[in-house]
Amino acid sequence: MSSSTATKPAVAAPIRIPRTTTLLFAFTSFLSAFLLFQVQLIVSKHILPWFGGSAAVWTTSMLVFQVLLLGGYFYSHTVSARLSAEVQTKVHVGLLGLSFLAVAVLSFVWPSAITPGNTWRPMPSDSPAASVALIILLAAGLPYFVLSTTGPLLQSWFGRLVGDARTYRLYSVSNMGSLLGLLSFPFLFEPMLRLKLQGQIWAVLFCSFTVACAYCALKARSAESAQWKIATDTNSFAASSPWLPVLWFLLAACASALLLATTNLICEEIITVPLLWVFPLAIYLLSFILCFDHPRWYKRAIFQPLFVISLFLTCAALIYEQVSARLITVPVLLFSACMVCHGELVRLKPNVQKLTSFYLAVSAGGAAGGVFVGIIAPHIFNSFAEFQLVLALTVILVLLTLYRDESSWIFRTEPWIPVLVIVGTVLVALASTKWIPGIVPGLETIRFYPLTLLLGIITVMGAVVLRGSFTARRGFRFVQIPMIVIAIAAMATLYLSAQPKPGLFSSTRNFYGVVRVLKTPGITQIVHGQTIHGAQLDPPLDRTPIAYYGASSGVSIVLRNHPSRGIGQGNLRIGVVGLGAGALAGYAHFGDTIRYYEINPDVVKLSTGDRPVFTFIRNSQASITTVLGDARLSMELEAASGRQQQFDMLVLDAFAGDAIPVHLLTKEAFDTYWKHLNPETGVIAVHITSRHVNLVPVVKGAAEYFHAPSLLTFNRGNGYVFDSLWFLMSRNPDLLTIPELNNVKVEYVHNVGPRLWTDDYSDIFRLLY
């Protein structure tokens, strides 16, 4: 029930406190949230090279941080509920002092307090998620836990001082700090500062925070308990329902799970760059800021229709594989869904007395959503089906919250409401036919427009005839007919959008994402996200390399004409980072040696074994070995043990598409590559074909730093041969004087000059197309 129809408890006049005290609490809330999100991004980026640059590092770290947040909220709830103000102050000031000391000590032991040195890098493991969690707990566990306790505790203390609903606005202030911490990283700190310096600045600000938070605790310890008992305006359902904590939990869990599921979808199905870790999370935080700032920002009449419309459009874009449409519909869907979940959450918030219980349920829901997407979903789905599943649960929760509220629009009797629902449905269908090609046959198959017209006539006529005959309580209304039909249609559309696409031969999912194999007449392709990472023609053409490795590609020309190769002879030592379909084995001769480095075990299974899907390796006469694990880490271990490979050619083929493992393009990475190259005959070929990221400045920067002559080649695709951009470099310039290269050599013309990436500095944002 809305506040306009509920019985309101008596509310005492707001208690006046010095403005400086209010500003102190607001500043401390803001700073703690700012540091909370900065530490997530700094630590996650720092350890990204240690785990192969997988986007799952971010998903796993988000899960760890959500669990830590839950622990912090549980601590806040326990302390505020069971300890007196005096004891609360002593306990929390002691915890602040401990964290201050830990950060100060680690600042002298590590490059910064939250960036462990390379000696802490874990060995390759079959359980990278567990290693990610362990490193995060080691690097940021205690300070993050302390920061996570700040929001609920400060609001609890502030409630003791002022005793009214202004307390909840501190949550909006803290989320503004979170948003600033999030957005300032890719747009300000990452382009300007090295990670070590970012970590050092963070440590200084954290120590400042501990002082400010301790002062807030001292200010609140003498607050009168009577002030704490002043009730706030809330609806009767929120005050009395035993199911209220369950709704808090489920609404928060849906929003959190949808955030991570959307991040997976964007990073795997649209574009994968670390910058996009920030984008969905910023949308999520913005919904928190708006909803908790003031009730006026969340209007059911705006956000519930927007949620339904964006849901249908997103599903249509998924079904008909419209990537450009998804770039618009997915963010809108995430924002509208989070506004609905968090808006309904705020409508059900309790009075200030139960504030910590509320935040505990919310954080538990957030952690549960993270556990589902980060741990459970990869083991039960071979695709990103959790995206559709969470949206279906959100639809159910919307219906439940509307049903529990007697003042909601589904119990209104005005005829214009069903008219608006029906007309809106038709207009959305008409708009989608213009925007998403292929949707028209689907609408015609179900006879959408005649059925909608019939449903509209029945609904409107019933609403007109029975207008005014219903009492103001829950029960049947004619507007509920189209609402239920739309909900059922939404479930059906979500189910269809999660179904495998035609031609799908297999789909596997692990820590490194979803790998699909598509079989169509004449060709088999390996696909990661929306990017084809290799392909093979059916026999008898199965020995011919295609895709990015056609005869006119830069890498093919060098392999076939390398000066170390005699006519028809095989004596080349070749290293390849990234297995794909193994197409480069098609260029090897008897006597050649190829060493593949591949991080994803599911990819290895497709090209090796007794019954491989792709047979380039099986058909090759070369001596071929496959090293499972991150290429850079594997080569570093080989170099440290004195096993330099002396490659005549090293092919870096881990950048085709949009998933850019930055750690394979840094100065430190190329240092390792040169150790494994034959100094007289070694050539490095980097595959930098990408739809969204311009990597030419990065590889040119590396070539200039190591004083290696270089060449940029481009091959125009035709048929089963795709457009390909290859960058060649060698310390022996004679190796790049192959006449055939003159046919594919191109000049680089761009407004971004060469730039050298290091493990401590990289900036993808400026290189986006």
Side-chain angles (χ1 to χ4, degrees), residues 24-32 76 92 147 149-161 167 170 174 209 212-217 220 228 355-356:
L24 174 64
F25 274 82
F27 169 76
T28 308
S29 295
F30 182 91
L31 181 59
S32 69
S76 301
H92 199 64
L147 289 169
T149 66
T150 303
L153 272 183
L154 280 183
Q155 291 177 61
S156 176
W157 296 338
F158 193 71
R160 290 182 181 275
L161 290 172
T167 303
L170 280 184
S174 69
F209 152 77
C213 189
Y215 188 71
C216 288
W228 180 239
L355 179 145
T356 55

Side-chain angles (χ1 to χ4, degrees), residues 399-448:
L399 296 179
L400 179 61
T401 54
L402 289 175
Y403 176 75
R404 296 293 308 196
D405 185 357
E406 294 181 4
S407 67
S408 68
W409 59 269
I410 67 170
F411 298 120
R412 301 285 292 273
T413 59
E414 293 88 339
W416 64 266
I417 295 179
V419 170
L420 191 62
V421 171
I422 298 297
V423 171
T425 302
V426 173
L427 290 178
V428 171
L430 287 172
S432 63
T433 60
K434 304 294 184 182
W435 191 26
I436 302 178
I439 199 174
V440 175
L443 294 177
E444 292 176 347
T445 300
I446 62 173
R447 299 182 179 179
F448 172 81

